[in-house]
Amino acid sequence: MNRLKYLQQREVLLGLMIASLIVLVGLRAPVFLSVSSLSNLMTDSTLLIMLAVTQMFVIITRGIDLSVASNLALSGMMSALLASKFPDLPLLLIILVAIVIGLGLGLINGYLIGYLGLPPIVVTLGTMSVYRGLVFVLSGGAWVSSHQMPAAFIAFPLSQLLGITHLVWIAVIVIAVMWYLARYTHFGRDLYAIGNQPNAANYIGIPTPRRLFWTYGLSGLMAGLCGYLWVARYAVAYTEIAYGFEFTVIAACVIGGINIAGGAGTVSGAVLGSLFLAVINNALPIMKISPFWQSALTGVVILTAVMINARSNKKSSRQILPLQLLQKNAIRSST
């Protein structure tokens, strides 16, 4: 009985769906199950995972960060321009600059939302356009290609340690840190309280503005790190880097069971949601599905996940004691 109950958990079901999908695609196209293919799948999914686990913190506070991809593009472009203009700079310094830029852009969102009380969707929609526009202004619309960047700058993400790429190692560290943050710190628990009952959170003394300020800062910090990793991974920086990627990040969170209304979600759910999308995106080309259908099929998957989430939330808020029984008891007690 306990085993069946365990199988009903969303993360377990999602894990089984991912494994089943990999096997089914592998039966149709055996190359999908090769070590190199699965290794590429893991590497390709890392950036989405890292952004999804920090977007999860934003969503559980009843917020959303639509500027995350524009932040990534601006941080990535700045790091590429810096590396091309000053090739002798230490790689660690360039990465730190990208992280600080991302953090600063995220804190702007956090200040506007946390301290000024502006709606998250309006603020991040505005800064999304501003940050994307700055990419055009700073680059002049020009590309920074691989021959303009130092070799060490490009090589780092895909260099290997113990047979595993740096990208995967960084993603593993990020997942571990975010899991600890959500589960064992006051900061993480406060975010769940803010998402569940904002008024109650204020009443018991949770510093909501400060928590929101740093939550959006955390999302921006991760976008800055991913900005460098994205540019170095693909060895090119251009004005439309990660265009529309913010919707993929949010979709990964929704598929992973993070409640878009706030208050519920786990790091493991965000990771599995990202892996699910990565498997689909890698499997469809191998299955020779038309690019026009790939987008439509991905949309169908996201809509299905939203419907499943809505159904689960409905069940969780179901009355334990039916209303008609409460009314009958009230009538009896009054007579």
Side-chain angles (χ1 to χ4, degrees):
M1 193 69 182
N2 289 334
R3 188 176 298 176
L4 288 175
K5 190 176 179 181
Y6 182 71
L7 289 174
Q8 289 176 354
Q9 291 182 7
R10 187 184 186 89
E11 286 82 0
V12 176
L13 284 173
L14 198 50
L16 291 173
M17 286 174 65
I18 293 170
S20 304
L21 193 59
I22 291 174
V23 171
L24 288 173
V25 176
L27 290 175
R28 178 75 182 273
V31 68
F32 191 71
L33 294 177
S34 65
V35 175
S36 62
S37 176
L38 293 176
S39 176
N40 287 335
L41 174 66
M42 288 299 298
T43 303
D44 289 344
S45 63
T46 49
L47 294 175
L48 178 57
I49 288 173
M50 291 162 66
L51 292 172
V53 293
T54 47
Q55 183 78 222
M56 182 209 78
F57 285 101
V58 174
I59 292 177
I60 61 176
T61 64
R62 300 190 177 190
I64 196 163
D65 188 356
L66 293 175
S67 68
V68 66
S70 298
N71 186 334
L72 181 155
L74 183 53
S75 304
M77 178 60 80
M78 289 296 291
S79 64
L81 288 172
L82 191 64
S84 64
K85 299 286 184 187
F86 305 99
D88 294 330
L89 280 178
L91 178 60
L92 183 60
L93 179 61
I94 295 173
I95 296 174
L96 282 176
V97 168
I99 290 173
V100 169
I101 291 172
L103 173 64
L105 299 178
L107 289 177
I108 292 173
N109 287 335
Y111 178 78
L112 295 172
I113 294 166
Y115 287 103
L116 298 187
L118 300 177
I121 191 168
V122 176
V123 169
T124 56
L125 194 62
T127 52
M128 177 178 74
S129 300
V130 173
Y131 299 162
R132 183 65 67 175
L134 285 174
V135 180
F136 281 89
V137 172
L138 294 171
S139 66
W143 288 34
V144 182
S145 53
S146 59
H147 70 273
Q148 296 173 274
M149 305 176 194
F153 179 89
I154 299 172
F156 178 76
L158 297 182
S159 298
Q160 295 190 348
L161 176 66
L162 303 176
I164 298 172
T165 62
H166 287 160
L167 261 176
V168 175
W169 280 117
I170 293 171
V172 169
I173 293 169
V174 167
I175 292 168
V177 171
M178 296 305 155
W179 174 78
Y180 181 83
L181 201 62
R183 195 175 179 87
Y184 293 109
T185 66
H186 287 295
F187 179 81
R189 288 194 291 270
D190 287 352
L191 298 187
Y192 284 99
I194 292 169
N196 272 306
Q197 292 292 340
N199 293 331
N202 286 328
Y203 184 75
I204 62 174
I206 291 175
T208 301
R210 194 167 69 205
R211 292 286 185 259
L212 293 177
F213 180 70
W214 286 110
T215 302
Y216 285 89
L218 184 65
S219 176
L221 181 151
M222 195 57 63
L225 174 61
C226 290
Y228 157 70
L229 292 172
W230 185 297
V231 168
R233 163 81 171 82
Y234 298 104
V236 64
Y238 54 100
T239 52
E240 295 190 351
I241 298 172
Y243 193 80
F245 198 62
E246 61 274 4
F247 298 112
T248 307
V249 173
I250 294 166
C253 292
V254 173
I255 291 172
I258 287 86
N259 189 352
I260 204 73
T266 61
V267 170
S268 58
V271 172
L272 289 169
S274 304
L275 284 174
F276 187 76
L277 279 182
V279 169
I280 289 178
N281 289 333
N282 280 267
L284 292 179
I286 290 178
M287 301 283 288
K288 297 181 179 175
I289 304 291
S290 162
F292 302 105
W293 278 104
Q294 289 177 21
S295 178
L297 288 172
T298 306
V300 168
V301 170
I302 294 168
L303 283 175
T304 306
V306 171
M307 287 190 289
I308 292 171
N309 272 353
R311 188 177 174 80
S312 301
N313 295 335
K314 203 171 181 180
K315 282 182 178 178
S316 62
S317 59
R318 189 174 53 192
Q319 281 183 296
I320 297 172
L321 190 62
L323 185 61
Q324 60 271 24
L325 291 181
L326 286 174
Q327 290 171 338
K328 286 180 181 176
N329 290 335
I331 293 170
R332 284 175 187 169
S333 59
S334 62
T335 55

